[in-house]
């Protein structure tokens, strides 16, 4: 029947905490417990957890089921920083009745393996990607190494409540030297980066197939340092063979 709990800051190394089956509405008493790995808050009267749990980056198990949490976006935003979170229960909250609830949580909390007592499947992760980031899903489906699938943009890309600001494509280039061969190595990061415009995908693929230049030289015709000192004759210009590939 507890409605409030005094600060637990005197236990900075606390790792496991069961305070389920009470009437708790406020979680400010956890402000100093950074080491928590398991937290059981189910069967309480929580209506909002904003600003109360985001500092618990070591949390692995979190039970919040059977509370009064209503805002799905705010609740998930509070849990985004928990990169170690593997088990999460949110059922029997008003937010769980959202039609996109499960896929929304799976997309924005990718570390969660067990959601509401049910294992997260690869198919659910793919569906979550199509729902919350359709442009990235289309890029990953239509572009790949050595193959291309004809996918109509209109069939997969649409408006979604889960959309995030898209990042511009990253196209780093690294010059590597191997003896007398210069190779332009363009790193293909487009399979992991969402694109603002599908034409950027074409640009990245074209760049990865860009010009490679090989140069060769007959070193038998090049005088050594000692030969250059002993000979006063003018040296002939070097013959350099250049071969280009696209």
């Amino acid at each position: 029947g507890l409605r409030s709990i005094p600060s637990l800051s005197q236990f900075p190394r606390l790792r496991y905490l069961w305070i389920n089956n009470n009437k708790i509405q406020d979680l400010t008493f956890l402000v100093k417990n950074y080491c928590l790995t398991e937290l059981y808050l189910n069967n309480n009267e929580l209506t909002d957890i904003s600003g109360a749990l985001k500092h618990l980056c070591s949390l692995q198990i979190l039970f919040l089921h059977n509370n009064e949490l209503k805002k799905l976006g705010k609740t998930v935003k509070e849990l985004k920083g928990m990169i170690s979170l593997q088990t999460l229960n949110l059922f029997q909250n008003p937010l769980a009745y959202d039609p996109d609830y499960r896929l929304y949580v799976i997309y924005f909390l990718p570390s969660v393996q067990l959601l509401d007592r049910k294992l997260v499947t690869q198919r659910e992760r793919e569906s979550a990607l199509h729902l919350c980031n359709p442009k990235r899903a289309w890029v990953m489906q239509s572009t790949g190494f050595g193959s291309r699938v004809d996918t109509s943009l209109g069939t997969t890309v649409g408006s979604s409540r889960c959309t995030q600001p898209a990042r511009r494509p990253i196209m780093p280039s690294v010059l590597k030297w191997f003896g007398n061969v210069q190779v332009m190595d363009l790193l293909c990061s487009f399979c992991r980066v969402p694109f603002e415009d599908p034409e950027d995908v074409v640009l990245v693929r074209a760049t990865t197939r860009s010009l490679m230049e090989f140069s060769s030289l007959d070193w038998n015709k090049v005088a050594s340092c000692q030969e250059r000192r002993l000979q006063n004759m003018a040296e002939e210009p070097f013959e350099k063979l250049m071969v280009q590939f696209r």
Side-chain angles (χ1 to χ4, degrees):
L2 293 174
R3 294 186 178 275
S4 62
I5 294 180
S7 174
L8 299 179
S9 58
Q10 58 182 318
F11 308 110
R13 297 187 180 182
L14 182 66
R15 296 184 60 191
Y16 312 104
L17 180 61
W18 283 265
I19 49 176
N20 50 299
N21 300 316
N22 285 287
K23 298 181 180 180
I24 297 172
Q25 299 178 356
D26 184 16
L27 298 177
T28 54
F29 58 88
L30 295 173
V31 67
K32 297 292 184 180
N33 303 104
Y34 299 101
C35 295
L36 275 173
T37 57
E38 296 185 14
L39 180 57
Y40 302 88
L41 293 168
N42 49 296
N43 303 317
N44 278 286
E45 297 180 359
L46 294 170
T47 59
D48 189 9
I49 60 172
S50 298
L53 300 178
K54 61 183 178 181
H55 61 288
L56 304 179
C57 299
S58 300
L59 209 59
Q60 299 178 9
I61 298 176
L62 177 59
F63 283 10
L64 282 168
H65 57 277
N66 198 17
N67 277 280
E68 298 299 327
L69 300 174
K70 297 180 175 64
K71 297 183 178 180
L72 178 60
K74 291 182 65 175
T75 301
V76 171
K77 182 180 180 180
E78 184 69 17
L79 307 180
K80 276 186 178 180
M82 300 178 183
I83 57 177
S84 301
L85 188 62
Q86 298 180 7
T87 302
L88 175 64
N89 282 353
L90 288 172
F91 62 92
Q92 292 182 351
N93 280 284
L95 58 79
Y97 295 101
D98 188 298
D100 298 327
Y101 152 73
R102 185 172 176 85
L103 295 182
Y104 186 90
V105 174
I106 290 173
Y107 178 78
F108 287 106
L109 303 177
S111 63
V112 174
Q113 305 293 326
L114 188 66
L115 176 60
D116 294 344
R117 301 176 180 175
K118 183 180 178 182
L119 283 173
V120 177
T121 65
Q122 182 61 32
R123 177 170 293 184
E124 285 181 318
R125 294 193 187 279
E126 293 173 358
S127 299
L129 179 62
H130 280 279
L131 173 69
C132 297
N133 200 336
K135 285 191 175 182
R136 182 176 181 181
W138 178 81
V139 169
M140 295 179 66
Q141 180 181 353
S142 61
T143 310
F145 293 98
S147 63
R148 179 174 178 82
V149 179
D150 292 329
T151 304
S152 174
L153 182 61
T155 59
T156 55
V157 178
S159 60
S160 172
R161 65 188 297 273
C162 306
T163 53
Q164 289 181 307
R167 293 173 289 171
R168 298 298 298 175
I170 301 173
M171 297 180 292
S173 59
V174 181
L175 290 178
K176 296 182 179 179
W177 291 86
F178 301 94
N180 59 347
V181 179
Q182 181 184 6
V183 180
M184 176 69 76
D185 181 14
L186 294 166
L187 305 179
C188 300
S189 61
F190 60 87
C191 285
R192 303 183 182 88
V193 182
F195 292 86
E196 190 175 71
D197 190 338
E199 293 183 1
D200 291 334
V201 186
V202 180
L203 174 62
V204 173
R205 283 182 61 86
T207 309
T208 56
R209 297 175 178 176
S210 61
L211 181 69
M212 290 192 301
E213 183 177 276
F214 296 86
S215 59
S216 62
L217 193 65
D218 188 356
W219 291 99
N220 294 325
K221 298 181 180 180
V222 179
S224 64
C225 295
Q226 184 177 7
E227 290 173 342
R228 285 198 295 269
R229 286 198 301 268
L230 296 177
Q231 297 177 358
N232 295 325
M233 61 184 67
E235 294 185 3
E236 297 181 359
F238 301 148
E239 295 182 2
K240 190 175 182 181
L241 176 63
M242 307 290 292
V243 182
Q244 295 181 346
F245 296 92
R246 278 195 181 274

